[in-house]
PDB file of all heavy atoms in Angstrom:
ATOM      1  N   HIS Y 754     104.083  71.824  74.043  1.00 97.00           N
ATOM      2  CA  HIS Y 754     103.019  71.033  73.405  1.00 97.00           C
ATOM      3  C   HIS Y 754     103.468  69.681  72.826  1.00 97.00           C
ATOM      4  O   HIS Y 754     102.695  68.864  72.463  1.00 97.00           O
ATOM      5  CB  HIS Y 754     102.458  71.780  72.243  1.00 97.00           C
ATOM      6  CG  HIS Y 754     101.734  73.082  72.624  1.00 97.00           C
ATOM      7  ND1 HIS Y 754     101.461  74.105  71.765  1.00 97.00           N
ATOM      8  CD2 HIS Y 754     101.285  73.535  73.806  1.00 97.00           C
ATOM      9  CE1 HIS Y 754     100.814  75.057  72.364  1.00 97.00           C
ATOM     10  NE2 HIS Y 754     100.724  74.728  73.635  1.00 97.00           N
ATOM     11  N   SER Y 755     104.802  69.452  72.853  1.00 96.00           N
ATOM     12  CA  SER Y 755     105.338  68.250  72.184  1.00 96.00           C
ATOM     13  C   SER Y 755     104.830  66.945  72.777  1.00 96.00           C
ATOM     14  O   SER Y 755     104.389  66.075  72.147  1.00 96.00           O
ATOM     15  CB  SER Y 755     106.935  68.253  72.250  1.00 96.00           C
ATOM     16  OG  SER Y 755     107.348  69.325  71.454  1.00 96.00           O
ATOM     17  N   PRO Y 756     104.823  66.743  74.147  1.00 96.00           N
ATOM     18  CA  PRO Y 756     104.289  65.579  74.677  1.00 96.00           C
ATOM     19  C   PRO Y 756     102.762  65.441  74.486  1.00 96.00           C
ATOM     20  O   PRO Y 756     102.144  64.307  74.356  1.00 96.00           O
ATOM     21  CB  PRO Y 756     104.559  65.641  76.146  1.00 96.00           C
ATOM     22  CG  PRO Y 756     105.749  66.598  76.209  1.00 96.00           C
ATOM     23  CD  PRO Y 756     105.486  67.535  75.213  1.00 96.00           C
ATOM     24  N   LEU Y 757     102.045  66.573  74.300  1.00 98.00           N
ATOM     25  CA  LEU Y 757     100.660  66.527  74.003  1.00 98.00           C
ATOM     26  C   LEU Y 757     100.344  65.918  72.637  1.00 98.00           C
ATOM     27  O   LEU Y 757      99.507  65.038  72.491  1.00 98.00           O
ATOM     28  CB  LEU Y 757     100.059  67.936  74.108  1.00 98.00           C
ATOM     29  CG  LEU Y 757      99.716  68.527  75.460  1.00 98.00           C
ATOM     30  CD1 LEU Y 757     100.911  68.588  76.412  1.00 98.00           C
ATOM     31  CD2 LEU Y 757      99.092  69.900  75.342  1.00 98.00           C
ATOM     32  N   PHE Y 758     101.136  66.275  71.650  1.00 98.00           N
ATOM     33  CA  PHE Y 758     100.965  65.724  70.345  1.00 98.00           C
ATOM     34  C   PHE Y 758     101.353  64.326  70.299  1.00 98.00           C
ATOM     35  O   PHE Y 758     100.657  63.497  69.591  1.00 98.00           O
ATOM     36  CB  PHE Y 758     101.749  66.506  69.295  1.00 98.00           C
ATOM     37  CG  PHE Y 758     101.103  67.875  68.873  1.00 98.00           C
ATOM     38  CD1 PHE Y 758     101.718  69.105  69.330  1.00 98.00           C
ATOM     39  CD2 PHE Y 758     100.076  67.896  68.087  1.00 98.00           C
ATOM     40  CE1 PHE Y 758     101.167  70.275  69.007  1.00 98.00           C
ATOM     41  CE2 PHE Y 758      99.473  69.110  67.751  1.00 98.00           C
ATOM     42  CZ  PHE Y 758     100.005  70.222  68.168  1.00 98.00           C
ATOM     43  N   ARG Y 759     102.381  63.868  71.052  1.00 97.00           N
ATOM     44  CA  ARG Y 759     102.695  62.500  71.098  1.00 97.00           C
ATOM     45  C   ARG Y 759     101.665  61.698  71.681  1.00 97.00           C
ATOM     46  O   ARG Y 759     101.393  60.608  71.158  1.00 97.00           O
ATOM     47  CB  ARG Y 759     104.119  62.379  71.881  1.00 97.00           C
ATOM     48  CG  ARG Y 759     104.614  60.982  72.052  1.00 97.00           C
ATOM     49  CD  ARG Y 759     105.512  60.889  73.207  1.00 97.00           C
ATOM     50  NE  ARG Y 759     104.942  61.263  74.408  1.00 97.00           N
ATOM     51  CZ  ARG Y 759     105.563  61.509  75.570  1.00 97.00           C
ATOM     52  NH1 ARG Y 759     106.864  61.449  75.643  1.00 97.00           N
ATOM     53  NH2 ARG Y 759     104.870  61.842  76.651  1.00 97.00           N
ATOM     54  N   ASN Y 760     101.097  62.146  72.808  1.00 97.00           N
ATOM     55  CA  ASN Y 760      99.982  61.367  73.471  1.00 97.00           C
ATOM     56  C   ASN Y 760      98.709  61.250  72.709  1.00 97.00           C
ATOM     57  O   ASN Y 760      98.148  60.214  72.685  1.00 97.00           O
ATOM     58  CB  ASN Y 760      99.670  62.028  74.833  1.00 97.00           C
ATOM     59  CG  ASN Y 760     100.637  61.793  75.973  1.00 97.00           C
ATOM     60  OD1 ASN Y 760     101.361  60.761  75.787  1.00 97.00           O
ATOM     61  ND2 ASN Y 760     100.719  62.583  76.963  1.00 97.00           N
ATOM     62  N   VAL Y 761      98.331  62.303  71.871  1.00 98.00           N
ATOM     63  CA  VAL Y 761      97.117  62.252  71.120  1.00 98.00           C
ATOM     64  C   VAL Y 761      97.262  61.817  69.688  1.00 98.00           C
ATOM     65  O   VAL Y 761      96.504  60.997  69.101  1.00 98.00           O
ATOM     66  CB  VAL Y 761      96.454  63.638  71.176  1.00 98.00           C
ATOM     67  CG1 VAL Y 761      95.119  63.734  70.324  1.00 98.00           C
ATOM     68  CG2 VAL Y 761      96.045  63.935  72.630  1.00 98.00           C
ATOM     69  N   ASP Y 762      98.378  62.333  69.036  1.00 98.00           N
ATOM     70  CA  ASP Y 762      98.451  62.109  67.597  1.00 98.00           C
ATOM     71  C   ASP Y 762      99.530  60.949  67.302  1.00 98.00           C
ATOM     72  O   ASP Y 762      99.659  60.496  66.244  1.00 98.00           O
ATOM     73  CB  ASP Y 762      98.907  63.324  66.827  1.00 98.00           C
ATOM     74  CG  ASP Y 762      97.820  64.356  66.728  1.00 98.00           C
ATOM     75  OD1 ASP Y 762      96.720  63.941  66.652  1.00 98.00           O
ATOM     76  OD2 ASP Y 762      98.135  65.531  66.846  1.00 98.00           O
ATOM     77  N   GLY Y 763     100.235  60.636  68.379  1.00 97.00           N
ATOM     78  CA  GLY Y 763     101.140  59.452  68.216  1.00 97.00           C
ATOM     79  C   GLY Y 763     102.615  59.849  67.964  1.00 97.00           C
ATOM     80  O   GLY Y 763     103.446  59.044  67.836  1.00 97.00           O
ATOM     81  N   MET Y 764     102.893  61.138  67.896  1.00 97.00           N
ATOM     82  CA  MET Y 764     104.259  61.562  67.519  1.00 97.00           C
ATOM     83  C   MET Y 764     104.501  62.988  68.025  1.00 97.00           C
ATOM     84  O   MET Y 764     103.526  63.823  67.910  1.00 97.00           O
ATOM     85  CB  MET Y 764     104.498  61.558  66.063  1.00 97.00           C
ATOM     86  CG  MET Y 764     105.990  61.558  65.653  1.00 97.00           C
ATOM     87  SD  MET Y 764     106.152  61.267  63.900  1.00 97.00           S
ATOM     88  CE  MET Y 764     105.697  59.530  63.749  1.00 97.00           C
ATOM     89  N   SER Y 765     105.642  63.296  68.568  1.00 97.00           N
ATOM     90  CA  SER Y 765     106.017  64.703  68.917  1.00 97.00           C
ATOM     91  C   SER Y 765     106.239  65.546  67.719  1.00 97.00           C
ATOM     92  O   SER Y 765     106.703  65.003  66.687  1.00 97.00           O
ATOM     93  CB  SER Y 765     107.341  64.629  69.754  1.00 97.00           C
ATOM     94  OG  SER Y 765     107.852  65.974  69.801  1.00 97.00           O
ATOM     95  N   HIS Y 766     105.763  66.782  67.838  1.00 98.00           N
ATOM     96  CA  HIS Y 766     105.921  67.594  66.563  1.00 98.00           C
ATOM     97  C   HIS Y 766     107.357  68.216  66.449  1.00 98.00           C
ATOM     98  O   HIS Y 766     107.529  69.020  65.636  1.00 98.00           O
ATOM     99  CB  HIS Y 766     104.869  68.655  66.618  1.00 98.00           C
ATOM    100  CG  HIS Y 766     105.008  69.786  67.699  1.00 98.00           C
ATOM    101  ND1 HIS Y 766     104.376  70.989  67.613  1.00 98.00           N
ATOM    102  CD2 HIS Y 766     105.634  69.717  68.866  1.00 98.00           C
ATOM    103  CE1 HIS Y 766     104.581  71.732  68.693  1.00 98.00           C
ATOM    104  NE2 HIS Y 766     105.339  70.931  69.514  1.00 98.00           N
TER     105      HIS Y 766
END
Side-chain angles (χ1 to χ4, degrees):
H754 297 162
S755 297
L757 280 57
F758 284 107
R759 181 200 57 195
N760 280 339
V761 175
D762 290 326
M764 195 172 293
S765 164
H766 66 162

